[in-house]
Amino acid sequence: MKVITGGVTAAKGFEAAGVEASIKYKNRKDMALIYSQKPCVLAGTFTSNVVKAAPVLWDKKVVEESAFGQAVIVNAGIANACTGKEGYEYCKKTALRGSKALGIPEESVLVASTGVIGMQLPIDRIEAGIDKLAGAKADTIEAGTQAAEAIMTTDTHSKQAAVEIEIGGVTVTLGGMSKGSGMIHPNMCTMLAFVTTDAVISKDVLTKIVKEDVTDTFNMISVDGDTSTNDTLLVMANGMAGNEEIKEGTPEFEAFKEAVHYINETLAKMMAGDGEGATALIEAKVIGAAAKEDARKLSKSVVSSSLTKAAVYGHDANFGRMICALGYSGVSFDPDKIELFFESKAGRIQVFKDGVSTNYDEEEASRILAQPEVRILADMKMGSEEATAWGCDLTYDYVKINADYRS
Amino acid sequence: MKVITGGVTAAKGFEAAGVEASIKYKNRKDMALIYSQKPCVLAGTFTSNVVKAAPVLWDKKVVEESAFGQAVIVNAGIANACTGKEGYEYCKKTALRGSKALGIPEESVLVASTGVIGMQLPIDRIEAGIDKLAGAKADTIEAGTQAAEAIMTTDTHSKQAAVEIEIGGVTVTLGGMSKGSGMIHPNMCTMLAFVTTDAVISKDVLTKIVKEDVTDTFNMISVDGDTSTNDTLLVMANGMAGNEEIKEGTPEFEAFKEAVHYINETLAKMMAGDGEGATALIEAKVIGAAAKEDARKLSKSVVSSSLTKAAVYGHDANFGRMICALGYSGVSFDPDKIELFFESKAGRIQVFKDGVSTNYDEEEASRILAQPEVRILADMKMGSEEATAWGCDLTYDYVKINADYRS
């Protein structure tokens, strides 16, 4: 697997664009297009929230019922959630206009929205934006970057990743982009992620890989514990690499799976580290758990704890808060056996052992926690399962952004 | 039921004290005593966290195994959690010194601690504090207030409540005190609450009433989603009112239950409203739910949502965040049927109906949300069950307090 530059246009036959459409923001790109020159096999995962935004309902239908997908039209600024029948009609109109502008079937057009809940989309501006996107689309890396920038809300930077792998002597490419700034518990109502590949692969196999992988990637990040109405991950495979079809149980399957995991984990970590107001990416790694699901619960509990997040912001080695978060995760363990460490580029320190503080050096611990990437490592001493979750610190700016959001 | 002035010393035969012992804080009261002139029937509920502080382990043992309880010794500043065997030994030493100073059996002395996790108690200062407490104790309202002040950590004010009821022509009194500033998801590692009564009641009946009532009171508040290692509610009944024993299934049982509920709910709401950094008490009331447990989950999800809390801080009627929080609560419902209202002393406004915004007046909604007590009312239209949860807004000061806590 080779990491390369680029995003959704890295794979063969994929084009993209990002344009200004004045949906809600002014003077910035706020609509994006992903387009494939050939029809794509689709896989998708969507929010578990009972309240699903209109574009989520639309995309679920396309992923489940359409023979293929060929384009995604995204807007930032308004989430098109809690918008009733009118909101769903706007998804249809978006797909219809995309169909005309791109010359592809209406039911192959996916849509995604991110932004404020409860407002209706200005459909005239959406439609004008689609025409602009169709005119601007290109298969360049720059076009992919324009799209990645256009889907941002409170993100401070765009998020892309791409890799190449060899499948039977043929180069297969995968690329992706996402916006945060959170995920299974996201934030400004929406994490969106889009992954494209030119691999030849069936829908069933692609779906299986994606559903399994999100459990350890997108579903393991948290910014604020709020699960959005719009969360969407779409994966599109157009087969243009010309590889022999990827079948389950083969080395090619494993290689492709690893590549999907790299893209998903990279995008997920970028979102966690760019959570609203964040100054640090927090990684909670749990080892020595009795079961995989225990390890996931434990690590996610630590990374979701407001008090842990505030302590990291303050570079305060207040380890009791992490032990406390492990304790209320719902997983049973012996507090006297577990060990806790802090790790970063500045070093590694053990802070908890045999049920008590190790009497570590507070200044050294604080230096370790002052880095932009910080790992909290817990060894549960109960087995050999492990999991990692990602989040960010809790800062004044998180409160500022969210107390002021709509104004 | 008559609301009266006072707290833990309101009921007959209860004494209290609050003194300076320099456990961690300087120049303020930080140790408290509750003492009953006669042995008490005990009931208690404790944190569900797997990591239980030493005083929680001690008190569970006393509540479950001792014939009666007669005193509670509390310190603020250090939680005595994650302190291993040494921490538990300090509980024993505290009880032993209390036993000597008060002339009561060691196994009738309960202990409670609140503050930083992972530090050991300075047992010499604890023991000196106990002697001071024993010398200072009195049955006055003022003594109760001193105790309520001594158990505070980041609380901005002390929390007390008291009521009188008639049981067969005899006046029975209940009083309580608590500190926050949070609860089943509390904060600075500890919500502590103590309720005293002179009622004649058996341990079984008292326990039944308390366990049922916490489900709708203390377990329905949240400040930050972090469940402490120290959460403790202790209820002590010394029988000195001389009423006929309260039996289940009688009108007296119902009257006593109502009085317990009043004290618990009042103390719980005080804690929610005084959550760290809070400027407002948020009440989330859910009506029309299909089941009681659904109503509890839904209301607690709204009140625990960081985005809802930040919106209230910003007086921003961003109702989509509350709809979103209902949606990820784990309870199923039809988003197109539910209705959402904001209520406060400044008025009442409906913001959501038929799956969309009501196009309410933003300025009016903002005025309603600018009050110190704000209610978010959701009608699920699925049945007749209801529940209420309490929390507070998320502010800069919450971050400030928790990023700086130990320094």
Side-chain angles (χ1 to χ4, degrees):
Chain A
M1 188 170 69
K2 187 180 152 199
V3 175
I4 59 171
T5 306
V8 289
T9 54
K12 265 186 210 149
F14 283 96
E15 304 180 21
V19 300
E20 289 188 22
S22 300
I23 303 309
K24 180 160 180 288
Y25 303 119
K26 303 293 170 204
N27 305 315
R28 55 153 278 192
K29 291 185 283 291
D30 59 353
M31 280 191 74
L33 169 71
I34 304 170
Y35 169 76
S36 172
Q37 292 158 4
K38 294 205 173 166
C40 298
V41 164
L42 292 178
T45 63
F46 303 96
T47 181
S48 60
N49 199 311
V50 170
V51 181
K52 293 180 193 350
V56 167
L57 298 175
W58 176 266
D59 287 358
K60 273 176 82 84
K61 194 169 142 70
V62 172
V63 169
E64 285 163 14
E65 298 177 12
S66 293
F68 60 87
Q70 202 161 349
V72 190
I73 295 166
V74 193
N75 78 278
I78 297 178
N80 194 7
C82 294
T83 49
K85 281 176 193 153
E86 190 180 342
Y88 193 74
E89 279 306 307
Y90 291 157
C91 294
K92 277 193 191 166
K93 285 192 174 175
T94 300
L96 188 63
R97 186 66 157 239
S99 158
K100 283 183 187 157
L102 299 165
I104 56 174
E106 186 187 333
E107 65 272 20
S108 74
V109 181
L110 297 134
V111 299
S113 296
T114 171
V116 180
I117 302 182
M119 281 177 76
Q120 296 292 353
L121 287 173
I123 189 64
D124 51 335
R125 280 177 271 158
I126 292 280
E127 289 178 335
I130 293 167
D131 295 346
K132 267 175 102 168
L133 287 166
K137 72 185 164 50
D139 65 359
T140 58
I141 286 178
E142 174 55 23
T145 301
Q146 299 259 338
E149 287 169 2
I151 63 173
M152 290 163 55
T153 52
T154 51
D155 305 65
T156 64
H157 56 79
S158 61
K159 297 166 183 74
Q160 300 183 81
V163 290
E164 281 177 5
I165 51 171
E166 296 287 316
I167 301 273
V170 174
T171 299
V172 168
T173 306
L174 294 90
M177 67 178 186
S178 68
K179 58 85 53 182
S181 33
M183 159 55 203
I184 260 295
H185 302 160
N187 198 336
M188 201 96 305
C189 272
T190 305
M191 99 106 206
L192 299 178
F194 307 98
V195 177
T196 56
T197 177
D198 45 23
V200 178
I201 189 166
S202 72
K203 184 169 181 167
D204 283 356
V205 175
L206 186 65
T207 301
K208 187 183 160 79
I209 287 174
V210 171
K211 296 224 158 160
E212 276 182 23
D213 194 65
V214 293
T215 319
D216 288 316
T217 54
F218 293 111
N219 284 5
M220 290 302 281
I221 69 173
S222 180
V223 168
D224 51 16
D226 285 275
T227 302
S228 152
T229 50
N230 289 49
D231 295 347
T232 299
L233 164 66
L234 289 173
V235 183
M236 307 170 77
N238 69 6
M240 287 174 74
N243 57 288
E244 199 176 325
E245 190 181 324
I246 297 164
K247 301 278 191 185
E248 218 180 324
T250 61
E252 290 71 30
F253 177 87
E254 293 306 321
F256 186 75
K257 200 173 152 179
E258 191 194 343
V260 168
H261 180 70
Y262 173 81
I263 298 287
N264 286 353
E265 183 180 294
T266 302
L267 294 174
K269 282 175 70 172
M270 281 178 176
M271 281 191 277
D274 193 29
E276 287 181 323
T279 69
L281 170 71
I282 305 175
E283 177 173 309
K285 183 167 183 178
V286 167
I287 62 172
K292 182 79 180 168
E293 194 47 34
D294 287 357
R296 290 195 185 109
K297 278 185 194 163
L298 288 160
S299 57
K300 209 161 169 190
S301 186
V302 170
V303 100
S304 303
S305 151
S306 290
L307 290 170
T308 294
K309 291 152 65 80
V312 172
Y313 176 51
H315 309 157
D316 179 2
N318 202 333
F319 72 85
R321 295 178 176 177
M322 294 96 182
I323 303 285
C324 178
L326 293 169
Y328 64 69
S329 66
V331 176
S332 187
F333 60 87
D334 183 348
D336 289 340
K337 285 199 181 146
I338 64 173
E339 300 191 5
L340 195 75
F341 304 81
F342 296 151
E343 295 176 1
S344 75
K345 280 189 180 164
R348 174 189 163 99
I349 195 166
Q350 180 161 13
V351 292
F352 190 73
K353 196 183 176 181
D354 298 329
V356 295
S357 167
T358 57
N359 289 319
Y360 55 90
D361 180 333
E362 286 282 354
E363 279 182 29
E364 189 189 345
S366 186
R367 266 197 308 277
I368 290 169
L369 293 180
Q371 293 292 312
E373 296 193 10
V374 170
R375 176 185 282 172
I376 299 162
L377 174 67
D379 186 346
M380 309 310 292
K381 304 276 184 186
M382 293 182 76
S384 58
E385 294 293 339
E386 56 183 71
T388 305
W390 298 275
C392 59
D393 54 343
L394 175 62
T395 70
Y396 297 116
D397 279 353
Y398 176 83
V399 179
K400 184 169 165 54
I401 291 165
N402 286 300
D404 295 350
Y405 179 44
R406 299 192 315 165
S407 48
Chain B
M1 187 171 70
K2 186 180 151 196
V3 176
I4 60 172
T5 306
V8 290
T9 54
K12 263 185 211 152
F14 284 96
E15 303 180 21
V19 302
E20 289 186 23
S22 302
I23 303 308
K24 179 159 180 288
Y25 303 118
K26 303 291 170 205
N27 304 315
R28 56 154 278 192
K29 291 185 284 290
D30 59 353
M31 281 192 73
L33 169 71
I34 304 171
Y35 168 76
S36 172
Q37 291 158 5
K38 293 205 174 167
C40 297
V41 165
L42 292 178
T45 63
F46 303 96
T47 183
S48 59
N49 199 310
V50 171
V51 182
K52 293 181 192 350
V56 167
L57 298 175
W58 176 267
D59 287 359
K60 273 177 81 83
K61 195 170 143 70
V62 172
V63 169
E64 284 161 15
E65 298 176 12
S66 292
F68 60 87
Q70 201 160 351
V72 190
I73 295 166
V74 193
N75 78 277
I78 297 177
N80 195 6
C82 294
T83 48
K85 282 177 192 151
E86 188 180 343
Y88 194 75
E89 279 305 308
Y90 291 156
C91 293
K92 277 194 193 165
K93 284 192 176 175
T94 301
L96 189 63
R97 187 66 158 241
S99 157
K100 283 182 187 157
L102 298 164
I104 56 175
E106 185 188 334
E107 64 273 19
S108 74
V109 181
L110 298 134
V111 299
S113 295
T114 172
V116 180
I117 302 182
M119 282 178 73
Q120 296 291 354
L121 287 173
I123 190 65
D124 51 335
R125 280 176 271 158
I126 292 280
E127 289 178 337
I130 293 167
D131 295 345
K132 266 175 104 170
L133 287 166
K137 73 183 163 55
D139 64 359
T140 58
I141 287 178
E142 175 54 24
T145 300
Q146 301 258 338
E149 287 169 359
I151 63 172
M152 290 163 56
T153 53
T154 51
D155 304 66
T156 64
H157 55 79
S158 62
K159 298 165 182 72
Q160 299 183 81
V163 290
E164 281 178 5
I165 51 172
E166 296 287 316
I167 301 271
V170 174
T171 299
V172 168
T173 305
L174 294 90
M177 68 179 184
S178 67
K179 56 87 51 184
S181 34
M183 157 58 204
I184 260 294
H185 302 159
N187 199 334
M188 201 93 307
C189 270
T190 303
M191 98 107 209
L192 299 178
F194 307 98
V195 177
T196 56
T197 177
D198 47 22
V200 178
I201 189 166
S202 73
K203 183 169 182 167
D204 284 354
V205 175
L206 186 65
T207 300
K208 186 183 162 78
I209 287 174
V210 170
K211 297 223 157 160
E212 278 183 20
D213 194 65
V214 293
T215 318
D216 288 315
T217 55
F218 292 112
N219 284 4
M220 290 301 283
I221 69 173
S222 179
V223 167
D224 51 15
D226 285 274
T227 302
S228 151
T229 50
N230 288 50
D231 295 346
T232 299
L233 164 66
L234 290 172
V235 183
M236 308 171 76
N238 69 6
M240 288 175 73
N243 56 289
E244 200 177 321
E245 189 181 324
I246 297 164
K247 301 278 190 185
E248 218 179 326
T250 61
E252 290 70 30
F253 177 87
E254 293 306 321
F256 186 75
K257 201 174 151 178
E258 191 193 345
V260 168
H261 180 71
Y262 173 82
I263 298 287
N264 286 355
E265 182 180 295
T266 302
L267 294 175
K269 283 176 70 172
M270 281 178 176
M271 281 190 277
D274 193 29
E276 287 181 322
T279 69
L281 171 69
I282 304 175
E283 178 174 308
K285 183 166 182 179
V286 167
I287 62 172
K292 183 78 180 167
E293 195 46 36
D294 287 355
R296 288 192 186 112
K297 279 185 194 162
L298 288 160
S299 57
K300 210 163 168 189
S301 186
V302 170
V303 99
S304 303
S305 152
S306 290
L307 290 170
T308 294
K309 291 152 64 79
V312 172
Y313 176 51
H315 309 159
D316 178 2
N318 202 333
F319 71 86
R321 295 176 175 177
M322 295 95 181
I323 303 284
C324 178
L326 293 169
Y328 65 68
S329 66
V331 176
S332 187
F333 59 87
D334 182 348
D336 290 340
K337 284 199 181 145
I338 64 174
E339 300 191 3
L340 195 76
F341 304 82
F342 296 152
E343 295 176 359
S344 76
K345 278 190 182 163
R348 173 189 165 99
I349 195 165
Q350 181 162 13
V351 292
F352 190 72
K353 196 183 176 181
D354 298 328
V356 294
S357 167
T358 58
N359 288 319
Y360 56 90
D361 180 332
E362 286 282 354
E363 278 182 28
E364 189 189 344
S366 186
R367 268 197 307 278
I368 290 169
L369 293 179
Q371 293 292 312
E373 296 194 10
V374 170
R375 175 185 283 174
I376 298 161
L377 175 66
D379 186 346
M380 308 311 291
K381 305 279 185 182
M382 294 182 75
S384 58
E385 293 295 337
E386 57 183 71
T388 304
W390 297 274
C392 59
D393 54 343
L394 175 61
T395 70
Y396 298 116
D397 280 355
Y398 175 83
V399 179
K400 185 170 164 54
I401 291 165
N402 286 301
D404 295 348
Y405 180 44
R406 299 191 317 165
S407 48

